[in-house]
């Protein structure tokens, strides 16, 4: 009887693992599709610096050298403006989302400013 239960559990775990294998990449695709669209703005470096000073340096360091969050001194080498826009809008890992705090245009401006840092 117990053996029967164990093999039943094993089978269920395998089935679950197989379902996960197919389900997980699917979820990533959905996340890609829901990437927020970045509004087109004219880069205003002074405004970007102001937003970053007020909002980002507590975690990323006053010279963007990194702190609780990674260094952003070369953010543009890794991410383009749209990718940074998406990270700041939606948050990622330990980084909070800023869509309640900043206007999309402000985030886009900061993203373009950071994307030039390579
Ligand atoms: C509460 C702390 C915190 C604040 C405030 C914060 N960040 Fe972050 N940020 C993080 C952490 C932690 C990560 C790493 C996220 C991860 O592990 O995926 C990160 C990652 C990033 C990345 C990706 C870096 C990389 O190398 O992949 C960018 C770009 C970024 N932040 C930009 C910003 C901007 C712009 C602001 C201000 C609007 C900001 N962050 C404010 C904590 C923060």
């Amino acid at each position: 009887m117990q053996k029967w239960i164990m093999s039943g559990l094993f089978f269920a775990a395998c089935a679950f693992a197989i379902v996960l294998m197919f389900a997980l990449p699917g979820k990533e695709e959905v996340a890609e599709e829901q990437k927020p669209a970045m509004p087109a703005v004219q880069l205003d470096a002074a405004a970007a610096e102001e937003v970053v000073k007020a909002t980002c340096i507590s975690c990323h360091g006053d010279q963007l050298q990194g702190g609780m969050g990674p260094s952003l001194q070369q953010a543009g080498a890794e991410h383009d403006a749209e990718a940074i826009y998406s990270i700041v809008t939606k948050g990622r890992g330990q980084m909070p989302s800023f869509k309640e705090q900043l206007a999309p245009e402000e985030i886009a401006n900061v993203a373009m400013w950071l994307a030039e840092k390579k």
Side-chain angles (χ1 to χ4, degrees), residues 49 52-53 56-67 69-75 113-114 117:
E49 248 175 285
V52 167
K53 274 213 185 96
C56 317
I57 61 175
S58 53
C59 293
H60 289 283
D62 58 357
Q63 304 298 315
L64 299 181
Q65 76 277 22
S71 164
L72 298 179
Q73 279 171 346
Q74 292 181 342
W113 183 71
L114 281 174
K117 299 194 171 295

Side-chain angles (χ1 to χ4, degrees), residues 5 17 22 24-25 29 31 42 50 55 67 95 97 106 116 118:
I5 292 176
F22 285 101
L24 284 183
E29 272 165 33
Q42 198 78 38
E50 224 165 88
T55 330
M95 166 140 169
S97 153
E106 281 178 310
E116 293 200 342
K118 326 189 183 192

